Amino acid sequence: MGWIGIRGPAERRFRRSADPATPGAVLTRGTLRIEATALPGAVPQNLVRYATRDPRPAGVTLVLDVDGTLRLLMRRGDRTLAAAVPTGLTDSPECAILSYAWDGPARHGALTVWLPDRRILHHSHIGSPLEPSLQDARRMACGTDRITVAPSVGLMTLSDATEPAGPLPGIAAGALVETATGPRPIETLRPGDIVRTQDGGDAQIRWQGSVCLPARGRLAPMVLRAPYHGLTRDLVVTGDQRVALAGSEVEYLFGEERVAVAARHLLGRHSAEPVTPVSPLMTWHQILLDRHEVMIVNGAPVESLDARAVLTDPAVLPASVLRDMPAELRPRDTRLALPVLQGYEAVTLQSVALG
């Protein structure tokens, strides 16, 4: 089924029912995903704490320690689990995507921390994961009296599948990518196809994929409006999808002909605005090229998938969207096509561009 639970500031959903014949049924596979603005403090912080004794003792706690270590503590009946992963968080608040994914029958799981602004993925393998019950999962998504969620947590979602961590696709279906044979919808492209790049060259597709994600929080959709950025038609993306910018302001401020910027930093300009999703879930697409490149999508310069975080660390590949990609197709060149602006740099550029 995929994503079955969403808990946000004004929303609580759960769409799976336990089998009446097995009231103690567990989620044998699944993912707990939390989006938080994280900042280690002087004392450990409970980001999420769920505890119950009905019908038997159970609990899930995610704690951010003072040294930035994320700790997961779980209990279901007589079974317990303790896992930890360093986050690399510093003394400045930043977005962190925290995921616990488990596959009970296969006896493996993972605790991950994805820092999207710095494109860093921290990972800890779990050999014997603990599966929550369906009842506990429902209570975590919709309950009020057994769970405490810190104000820094903006979104909590639950899936009954092992969802990927790290860099994710961020382009909506129907987007037209310029290829050697002309514009083609991104969802129709396949490994081996040739894509035209912004500088007039060619790049080969090594991977094409999609993922269904909650259309909330960091993954809420936004639209880049035509004719800005060279667009011939509107383009729907996630806020983390990067586009290329050029012009006199870019050269003046950064000494570069072109830079890349996350689409979220374009909000507030005429060229970009948020979109109200028609469904709590959306499917996003992307392609990985033989090298990181700027391709042409709906006429605009848009980056291909930046997978450095997983391509440079084989240990995290099984937790990513590239987990089924044949090893012989993985790009060896993981350099970025363009310098990437940080949030404060994008704000500076926007203020100069707007006068």
PDB file of all heavy atoms in Angstrom, residues 263-289:
ATOM      1  N   ALA A 263      14.647  24.827  -5.835  1.00  0.00           N
ATOM      2  CA  ALA A 263      13.452  25.547  -6.271  1.00  0.00           C
ATOM      3  C   ALA A 263      12.771  26.267  -5.112  1.00  0.00           C
ATOM      4  O   ALA A 263      12.158  27.322  -5.307  1.00  0.00           O
ATOM      5  CB  ALA A 263      12.481  24.577  -6.951  1.00  0.00           C
ATOM      6  N   ARG A 264      12.874  25.728  -3.892  1.00  0.00           N
ATOM      7  CA  ARG A 264      12.208  26.360  -2.750  1.00  0.00           C
ATOM      8  C   ARG A 264      12.710  27.791  -2.517  1.00  0.00           C
ATOM      9  O   ARG A 264      11.982  28.637  -2.016  1.00  0.00           O
ATOM     10  CB  ARG A 264      12.407  25.525  -1.488  1.00  0.00           C
ATOM     11  CG  ARG A 264      13.810  25.540  -0.914  1.00  0.00           C
ATOM     12  CD  ARG A 264      13.912  24.747   0.387  1.00  0.00           C
ATOM     13  NE  ARG A 264      13.621  23.339   0.173  1.00  0.00           N
ATOM     14  CZ  ARG A 264      12.480  22.757   0.488  1.00  0.00           C
ATOM     15  NH1 ARG A 264      11.522  23.475   1.050  1.00  0.00           N
ATOM     16  NH2 ARG A 264      12.284  21.489   0.257  1.00  0.00           N
ATOM     17  N   HIS A 265      13.954  28.052  -2.907  1.00  0.00           N
ATOM     18  CA  HIS A 265      14.509  29.389  -2.687  1.00  0.00           C
ATOM     19  C   HIS A 265      14.024  30.400  -3.719  1.00  0.00           C
ATOM     20  O   HIS A 265      14.358  31.590  -3.612  1.00  0.00           O
ATOM     21  CB  HIS A 265      16.038  29.319  -2.694  1.00  0.00           C
ATOM     22  CG  HIS A 265      16.602  28.462  -1.594  1.00  0.00           C
ATOM     23  ND1 HIS A 265      16.187  28.573  -0.294  1.00  0.00           N
ATOM     24  CD2 HIS A 265      17.548  27.475  -1.616  1.00  0.00           C
ATOM     25  CE1 HIS A 265      16.848  27.697   0.451  1.00  0.00           C
ATOM     26  NE2 HIS A 265      17.671  27.025  -0.315  1.00  0.00           N
ATOM     27  N   LEU A 266      13.269  29.941  -4.699  1.00  0.00           N
ATOM     28  CA  LEU A 266      12.698  30.849  -5.695  1.00  0.00           C
ATOM     29  C   LEU A 266      11.306  31.327  -5.297  1.00  0.00           C
ATOM     30  O   LEU A 266      10.740  32.199  -5.954  1.00  0.00           O
ATOM     31  CB  LEU A 266      12.638  30.157  -7.062  1.00  0.00           C
ATOM     32  CG  LEU A 266      13.978  29.689  -7.634  1.00  0.00           C
ATOM     33  CD1 LEU A 266      13.759  28.927  -8.936  1.00  0.00           C
ATOM     34  CD2 LEU A 266      14.917  30.861  -7.849  1.00  0.00           C
ATOM     35  N   LEU A 267      10.739  30.733  -4.250  1.00  0.00           N
ATOM     36  CA  LEU A 267       9.433  31.174  -3.782  1.00  0.00           C
ATOM     37  C   LEU A 267       9.520  32.630  -3.336  1.00  0.00           C
ATOM     38  O   LEU A 267      10.502  33.058  -2.733  1.00  0.00           O
ATOM     39  CB  LEU A 267       8.962  30.301  -2.617  1.00  0.00           C
ATOM     40  CG  LEU A 267       8.597  28.854  -2.978  1.00  0.00           C
ATOM     41  CD1 LEU A 267       8.379  28.036  -1.714  1.00  0.00           C
ATOM     42  CD2 LEU A 267       7.348  28.819  -3.851  1.00  0.00           C
ATOM     43  N   GLY A 268       8.485  33.374  -3.649  1.00  0.00           N
ATOM     44  CA  GLY A 268       8.493  34.801  -3.358  1.00  0.00           C
ATOM     45  C   GLY A 268       8.809  35.630  -4.578  1.00  0.00           C
ATOM     46  O   GLY A 268       8.615  36.842  -4.586  1.00  0.00           O
ATOM     47  N   ARG A 269       9.324  34.966  -5.631  1.00  0.00           N
ATOM     48  CA  ARG A 269       9.517  35.649  -6.909  1.00  0.00           C
ATOM     49  C   ARG A 269       8.301  35.351  -7.786  1.00  0.00           C
ATOM     50  O   ARG A 269       7.492  34.462  -7.500  1.00  0.00           O
ATOM     51  CB  ARG A 269      10.800  35.156  -7.581  1.00  0.00           C
ATOM     52  CG  ARG A 269      12.041  35.314  -6.706  1.00  0.00           C
ATOM     53  CD  ARG A 269      13.278  34.768  -7.352  1.00  0.00           C
ATOM     54  NE  ARG A 269      13.724  35.559  -8.483  1.00  0.00           N
ATOM     55  CZ  ARG A 269      14.868  35.345  -9.136  1.00  0.00           C
ATOM     56  NH1 ARG A 269      15.660  34.362  -8.773  1.00  0.00           N
ATOM     57  NH2 ARG A 269      15.215  36.105 -10.150  1.00  0.00           N
ATOM     58  N   HIS A 270       8.172  36.046  -8.886  1.00  0.00           N
ATOM     59  CA  HIS A 270       7.034  35.811  -9.777  1.00  0.00           C
ATOM     60  C   HIS A 270       7.111  34.435 -10.425  1.00  0.00           C
ATOM     61  O   HIS A 270       6.098  33.901 -10.890  1.00  0.00           O
ATOM     62  CB  HIS A 270       6.992  36.890 -10.870  1.00  0.00           C
ATOM     63  CG  HIS A 270       6.811  38.275 -10.345  1.00  0.00           C
ATOM     64  ND1 HIS A 270       5.690  38.663  -9.645  1.00  0.00           N
ATOM     65  CD2 HIS A 270       7.618  39.375 -10.409  1.00  0.00           C
ATOM     66  CE1 HIS A 270       5.795  39.941  -9.308  1.00  0.00           C
ATOM     67  NE2 HIS A 270       6.961  40.396  -9.757  1.00  0.00           N
ATOM     68  N   SER A 271       8.297  33.855 -10.456  1.00  0.00           N
ATOM     69  CA  SER A 271       8.507  32.628 -11.221  1.00  0.00           C
ATOM     70  C   SER A 271       8.107  31.359 -10.496  1.00  0.00           C
ATOM     71  O   SER A 271       8.047  30.289 -11.108  1.00  0.00           O
ATOM     72  CB  SER A 271       9.983  32.506 -11.612  1.00  0.00           C
ATOM     73  OG  SER A 271      10.803  32.402 -10.458  1.00  0.00           O
ATOM     74  N   ALA A 272       7.817  31.414  -9.195  1.00  0.00           N
ATOM     75  CA  ALA A 272       7.555  30.193  -8.440  1.00  0.00           C
ATOM     76  C   ALA A 272       6.504  30.431  -7.371  1.00  0.00           C
ATOM     77  O   ALA A 272       6.457  31.499  -6.753  1.00  0.00           O
ATOM     78  CB  ALA A 272       8.845  29.690  -7.793  1.00  0.00           C
ATOM     79  N   GLU A 273       5.678  29.432  -7.155  1.00  0.00           N
ATOM     80  CA  GLU A 273       4.670  29.531  -6.107  1.00  0.00           C
ATOM     81  C   GLU A 273       4.280  28.131  -5.645  1.00  0.00           C
ATOM     82  O   GLU A 273       4.434  27.148  -6.383  1.00  0.00           O
ATOM     83  CB  GLU A 273       3.441  30.289  -6.595  1.00  0.00           C
ATOM     84  CG  GLU A 273       2.744  29.675  -7.786  1.00  0.00           C
ATOM     85  CD  GLU A 273       1.629  30.566  -8.306  1.00  0.00           C
ATOM     86  OE1 GLU A 273       1.898  31.765  -8.571  1.00  0.00           O
ATOM     87  OE2 GLU A 273       0.497  30.065  -8.450  1.00  0.00           O
ATOM     88  N   PRO A 274       3.802  28.004  -4.410  1.00  0.00           N
ATOM     89  CA  PRO A 274       3.380  26.688  -3.927  1.00  0.00           C
ATOM     90  C   PRO A 274       2.107  26.219  -4.620  1.00  0.00           C
ATOM     91  O   PRO A 274       1.350  27.027  -5.169  1.00  0.00           O
ATOM     92  CB  PRO A 274       3.141  26.919  -2.433  1.00  0.00           C
ATOM     93  CG  PRO A 274       2.870  28.384  -2.313  1.00  0.00           C
ATOM     94  CD  PRO A 274       3.671  29.057  -3.394  1.00  0.00           C
ATOM     95  N   VAL A 275       1.884  24.923  -4.596  1.00  0.00           N
ATOM     96  CA  VAL A 275       0.700  24.310  -5.196  1.00  0.00           C
ATOM     97  C   VAL A 275      -0.046  23.553  -4.111  1.00  0.00           C
ATOM     98  O   VAL A 275       0.574  22.853  -3.290  1.00  0.00           O
ATOM     99  CB  VAL A 275       1.093  23.332  -6.316  1.00  0.00           C
ATOM    100  CG1 VAL A 275      -0.135  22.596  -6.845  1.00  0.00           C
ATOM    101  CG2 VAL A 275       1.783  24.077  -7.447  1.00  0.00           C
ATOM    102  N   THR A 276      -1.352  23.675  -4.077  1.00  0.00           N
ATOM    103  CA  THR A 276      -2.162  22.889  -3.156  1.00  0.00           C
ATOM    104  C   THR A 276      -2.376  21.510  -3.763  1.00  0.00           C
ATOM    105  O   THR A 276      -3.026  21.381  -4.806  1.00  0.00           O
ATOM    106  CB  THR A 276      -3.518  23.550  -2.893  1.00  0.00           C
ATOM    107  OG1 THR A 276      -3.302  24.860  -2.336  1.00  0.00           O
ATOM    108  CG2 THR A 276      -4.348  22.720  -1.934  1.00  0.00           C
ATOM    109  N   PRO A 277      -1.819  20.465  -3.180  1.00  0.00           N
ATOM    110  CA  PRO A 277      -1.955  19.136  -3.784  1.00  0.00           C
ATOM    111  C   PRO A 277      -3.391  18.632  -3.717  1.00  0.00           C
ATOM    112  O   PRO A 277      -4.115  18.901  -2.751  1.00  0.00           O
ATOM    113  CB  PRO A 277      -1.017  18.263  -2.939  1.00  0.00           C
ATOM    114  CG  PRO A 277      -0.905  18.978  -1.635  1.00  0.00           C
ATOM    115  CD  PRO A 277      -1.026  20.437  -1.940  1.00  0.00           C
ATOM    116  N   VAL A 278      -3.800  17.917  -4.751  1.00  0.00           N
ATOM    117  CA  VAL A 278      -5.154  17.364  -4.781  1.00  0.00           C
ATOM    118  C   VAL A 278      -5.233  16.053  -4.031  1.00  0.00           C
ATOM    119  O   VAL A 278      -6.321  15.551  -3.747  1.00  0.00           O
ATOM    120  CB  VAL A 278      -5.623  17.158  -6.238  1.00  0.00           C
ATOM    121  CG1 VAL A 278      -5.695  18.483  -6.959  1.00  0.00           C
ATOM    122  CG2 VAL A 278      -4.701  16.203  -6.980  1.00  0.00           C
ATOM    123  N   SER A 279      -4.094  15.468  -3.699  1.00  0.00           N
ATOM    124  CA  SER A 279      -4.030  14.200  -2.992  1.00  0.00           C
ATOM    125  C   SER A 279      -2.932  14.289  -1.939  1.00  0.00           C
ATOM    126  O   SER A 279      -1.971  15.050  -2.099  1.00  0.00           O
ATOM    127  CB  SER A 279      -3.719  13.059  -3.974  1.00  0.00           C
ATOM    128  OG  SER A 279      -3.357  11.872  -3.292  1.00  0.00           O
ATOM    129  N   PRO A 280      -3.048  13.525  -0.851  1.00  0.00           N
ATOM    130  CA  PRO A 280      -1.975  13.547   0.143  1.00  0.00           C
ATOM    131  C   PRO A 280      -0.683  12.893  -0.345  1.00  0.00           C
ATOM    132  O   PRO A 280       0.353  13.030   0.296  1.00  0.00           O
ATOM    133  CB  PRO A 280      -2.565  12.769   1.321  1.00  0.00           C
ATOM    134  CG  PRO A 280      -3.650  11.939   0.741  1.00  0.00           C
ATOM    135  CD  PRO A 280      -4.201  12.715  -0.412  1.00  0.00           C
ATOM    136  N   LEU A 281      -0.738  12.216  -1.502  1.00  0.00           N
ATOM    137  CA  LEU A 281       0.438  11.556  -2.063  1.00  0.00           C
ATOM    138  C   LEU A 281       0.681  12.034  -3.482  1.00  0.00           C
ATOM    139  O   LEU A 281      -0.268  12.345  -4.209  1.00  0.00           O
ATOM    140  CB  LEU A 281       0.268  10.029  -2.068  1.00  0.00           C
ATOM    141  CG  LEU A 281      -0.004   9.344  -0.725  1.00  0.00           C
ATOM    142  CD1 LEU A 281      -0.279   7.867  -0.943  1.00  0.00           C
ATOM    143  CD2 LEU A 281       1.162   9.535   0.223  1.00  0.00           C
ATOM    144  N   MET A 282       1.952  12.096  -3.884  1.00  0.00           N
ATOM    145  CA  MET A 282       2.315  12.417  -5.255  1.00  0.00           C
ATOM    146  C   MET A 282       3.464  11.521  -5.694  1.00  0.00           C
ATOM    147  O   MET A 282       4.305  11.133  -4.878  1.00  0.00           O
ATOM    148  CB  MET A 282       2.726  13.890  -5.405  1.00  0.00           C
ATOM    149  CG  MET A 282       1.576  14.868  -5.424  1.00  0.00           C
ATOM    150  SD  MET A 282       2.086  16.539  -5.924  1.00  0.00           S
ATOM    151  CE  MET A 282       2.542  16.272  -7.648  1.00  0.00           C
ATOM    152  N   THR A 283       3.497  11.219  -6.985  1.00  0.00           N
ATOM    153  CA  THR A 283       4.585  10.436  -7.554  1.00  0.00           C
ATOM    154  C   THR A 283       5.550  11.367  -8.275  1.00  0.00           C
ATOM    155  O   THR A 283       5.139  12.173  -9.110  1.00  0.00           O
ATOM    156  CB  THR A 283       4.060   9.366  -8.527  1.00  0.00           C
ATOM    157  OG1 THR A 283       3.219   8.456  -7.807  1.00  0.00           O
ATOM    158  CG2 THR A 283       5.207   8.586  -9.157  1.00  0.00           C
ATOM    159  N   TRP A 284       6.832  11.244  -7.927  1.00  0.00           N
ATOM    160  CA  TRP A 284       7.883  12.086  -8.490  1.00  0.00           C
ATOM    161  C   TRP A 284       8.866  11.243  -9.292  1.00  0.00           C
ATOM    162  O   TRP A 284       9.121  10.083  -8.959  1.00  0.00           O
ATOM    163  CB  TRP A 284       8.627  12.827  -7.379  1.00  0.00           C
ATOM    164  CG  TRP A 284       7.744  13.698  -6.553  1.00  0.00           C
ATOM    165  CD1 TRP A 284       7.213  13.419  -5.325  1.00  0.00           C
ATOM    166  CD2 TRP A 284       7.257  15.009  -6.890  1.00  0.00           C
ATOM    167  NE1 TRP A 284       6.437  14.460  -4.879  1.00  0.00           N
ATOM    168  CE2 TRP A 284       6.457  15.450  -5.825  1.00  0.00           C
ATOM    169  CE3 TRP A 284       7.437  15.830  -7.986  1.00  0.00           C
ATOM    170  CZ2 TRP A 284       5.824  16.695  -5.816  1.00  0.00           C
ATOM    171  CZ3 TRP A 284       6.815  17.079  -7.994  1.00  0.00           C
ATOM    172  CH2 TRP A 284       6.018  17.491  -6.917  1.00  0.00           C
ATOM    173  N   HIS A 285       9.446  11.852 -10.334  1.00  0.00           N
ATOM    174  CA  HIS A 285      10.355  11.152 -11.251  1.00  0.00           C
ATOM    175  C   HIS A 285      11.702  11.863 -11.297  1.00  0.00           C
ATOM    176  O   HIS A 285      11.803  13.050 -11.025  1.00  0.00           O
ATOM    177  CB  HIS A 285       9.754  11.096 -12.659  1.00  0.00           C
ATOM    178  CG  HIS A 285       8.422  10.419 -12.722  1.00  0.00           C
ATOM    179  ND1 HIS A 285       8.266   9.111 -13.111  1.00  0.00           N
ATOM    180  CD2 HIS A 285       7.173  10.872 -12.437  1.00  0.00           C
ATOM    181  CE1 HIS A 285       6.989   8.773 -13.065  1.00  0.00           C
ATOM    182  NE2 HIS A 285       6.305   9.831 -12.653  1.00  0.00           N
ATOM    183  N   GLN A 286      12.740  11.114 -11.694  1.00  0.00           N
ATOM    184  CA  GLN A 286      14.048  11.700 -11.954  1.00  0.00           C
ATOM    185  C   GLN A 286      14.881  10.708 -12.766  1.00  0.00           C
ATOM    186  O   GLN A 286      14.510   9.539 -12.927  1.00  0.00           O
ATOM    187  CB  GLN A 286      14.796  12.022 -10.660  1.00  0.00           C
ATOM    188  CG  GLN A 286      15.021  13.503 -10.388  1.00  0.00           C
ATOM    189  CD  GLN A 286      15.910  14.225 -11.406  1.00  0.00           C
ATOM    190  OE1 GLN A 286      16.252  13.690 -12.458  1.00  0.00           O
ATOM    191  NE2 GLN A 286      16.292  15.451 -11.072  1.00  0.00           N
ATOM    192  N   ILE A 287      15.983  11.223 -13.306  1.00  0.00           N
ATOM    193  CA  ILE A 287      16.920  10.378 -14.036  1.00  0.00           C
ATOM    194  C   ILE A 287      18.327  10.647 -13.523  1.00  0.00           C
ATOM    195  O   ILE A 287      18.670  11.763 -13.147  1.00  0.00           O
ATOM    196  CB  ILE A 287      16.849  10.592 -15.569  1.00  0.00           C
ATOM    197  CG1 ILE A 287      17.070  12.068 -15.920  1.00  0.00           C
ATOM    198  CG2 ILE A 287      15.529  10.097 -16.122  1.00  0.00           C
ATOM    199  CD1 ILE A 287      17.067  12.338 -17.414  1.00  0.00           C
ATOM    200  N   LEU A 288      19.122   9.589 -13.509  1.00  0.00           N
ATOM    201  CA  LEU A 288      20.536   9.670 -13.159  1.00  0.00           C
ATOM    202  C   LEU A 288      21.329   9.504 -14.443  1.00  0.00           C
ATOM    203  O   LEU A 288      21.124   8.539 -15.187  1.00  0.00           O
ATOM    204  CB  LEU A 288      20.901   8.566 -12.164  1.00  0.00           C
ATOM    205  CG  LEU A 288      22.360   8.525 -11.715  1.00  0.00           C
ATOM    206  CD1 LEU A 288      22.668   9.692 -10.789  1.00  0.00           C
ATOM    207  CD2 LEU A 288      22.658   7.193 -11.011  1.00  0.00           C
ATOM    208  N   LEU A 289      22.231  10.431 -14.703  1.00  0.00           N
ATOM    209  CA  LEU A 289      23.021  10.404 -15.931  1.00  0.00           C
ATOM    210  C   LEU A 289      24.416   9.844 -15.663  1.00  0.00           C
ATOM    211  O   LEU A 289      24.801   9.635 -14.511  1.00  0.00           O
ATOM    212  CB  LEU A 289      23.110  11.807 -16.521  1.00  0.00           C
ATOM    213  CG  LEU A 289      21.763  12.475 -16.863  1.00  0.00           C
ATOM    214  CD1 LEU A 289      21.978  13.904 -17.325  1.00  0.00           C
ATOM    215  CD2 LEU A 289      21.007  11.670 -17.912  1.00  0.00           C
TER     216      LEU A 289
END
